Amino acid sequence: MTVAGGAVLALSSSTAQAKDMDCGDFPSQRAAQIYFLNHGGPASDPDNLDSDGDGIACESNPCPCFTGSNPPQPSPSPSPNPQPAPAQKVIVTKVIDGDRVRVKYVPGGSKATVSLLGTRAPKLNKCGGIESKRALKKVTPVGTRVQLIPDKKQRNKNGKGDLLRYVHKGKKDVNRQQLVKGWSELYVAKGKLTRQRSYARAEKVARQGSRGNWFTC
């Protein structure tokens, strides 16, 4: 059991044995109070840390301070592997370009614009833009049911308000297909992707094979 840095001390089922401490042994009043409570205080004070008997140890010590009668409990540790939100089922209502689609939620019917996470296709007025859109529309024509999957390492939306999602048609990763066919390039605005290594390999295959826009543009 330690008191360094004012760490929260675990309260044992039986009163711990005193160690002949005095107020100068603690970096703060809070640390002294937690030690005091863990060693029988306020009913017992074998180290004489509460000289006036008011239940508060080492009142002259600097803060942080704590005057409770029970040791504070540590906050629960966050899950080491937080799970992303579940996949959402939607219907494609429009293919905007080579890396964005409009969708309608099933059920519910609300609509949203989705940007294919980890990809960037040329604008429609640039070389390859029309071809990229055509390729995406071939995979996800209007009326196609797809799943939207978030990435726990990424934001929910981009600066335009588009949802950032992996798009799956059955077991097919549509984002990756746009990359491996050469219709998009790998793009990550901030942070990293869970699938970044896989996507980088897909782009490399397209580059080396002069596929899609790597050949025409």
Side-chain angles (χ1 to χ4, degrees):
M1 179 166 53
T2 62
V3 295
V8 175
L9 301 176
L11 181 61
S12 62
S13 57
S14 60
T15 302
Q17 184 178 359
K19 298 182 179 179
D20 193 22
M21 304 286 279
D22 58 41
C23 290
D25 294 319
F26 301 94
S28 66
Q29 188 277 325
R30 182 177 187 274
Q33 181 74 1
I34 294 171
Y35 174 89
F36 168 65
L37 295 173
N38 278 327
H39 288 78
S44 174
D45 184 16
D47 294 290
N48 195 31
L49 301 178
D50 178 20
S51 58
D52 56 6
D54 63 355
I56 301 174
C58 301
E59 294 177 79
S60 61
N61 277 24
C63 285
C65 297
F66 175 65
T67 59
S69 58
N70 292 298
Q73 298 300 310
S75 300
S77 299
S79 171
N81 296 303
Q83 297 299 311
Q88 297 169 309
K89 295 181 179 181
V90 298
I91 295 174
V92 176
T93 60
K94 182 179 180 180
V95 176
I96 301 171
D97 50 32
D99 57 28
R100 290 186 302 155
V101 295
R102 287 282 293 172
V103 300
K104 179 174 66 176
Y105 286 90
V106 181
S110 59
K111 296 181 179 180
T113 300
V114 179
S115 182
L116 273 63
L117 192 57
T119 75
R120 181 169 61 183
K123 295 184 182 298
L124 295 178
N125 62 348
K126 301 294 183 181
C127 178
I130 297 296
E131 292 79 4
S132 295
K133 176 181 177 179
R134 187 180 297 134
L136 182 57
K137 193 171 184 178
K138 185 177 180 180
V139 181
T140 57
V142 172
T144 302
R145 289 178 177 262
V146 297
Q147 288 185 313
L148 306 182
I149 302 174
D151 189 325
K152 63 185 179 182
K153 294 183 178 180
Q154 281 291 312
R155 299 169 295 164
N156 184 54
K157 296 182 178 181
N158 63 18
K160 298 178 180 179
D162 299 347
L163 295 174
L164 294 172
R165 296 291 188 270
Y166 299 114
V167 177
H168 277 213
K169 180 183 178 182
K171 294 183 179 181
K172 181 179 294 183
D173 182 340
V174 176
N175 305 40
R176 189 178 188 281
Q177 177 158 317
Q178 285 291 92
L179 289 165
V180 80
K181 296 292 186 180
W183 301 120
S184 295
E185 63 180 348
L186 177 62
Y187 175 73
V188 185
K190 293 183 179 180
K192 291 185 177 182
L193 298 175
T194 301
R195 305 183 185 184
Q196 189 159 337
R197 184 174 297 179
S198 172
Y199 281 15
R201 288 197 299 266
E203 183 191 72
K204 184 178 180 180
V205 167
R207 282 177 178 267
Q208 292 179 340
S210 296
R211 298 179 178 180
N213 292 333
W214 300 112
F215 174 74
T216 58
C217 299

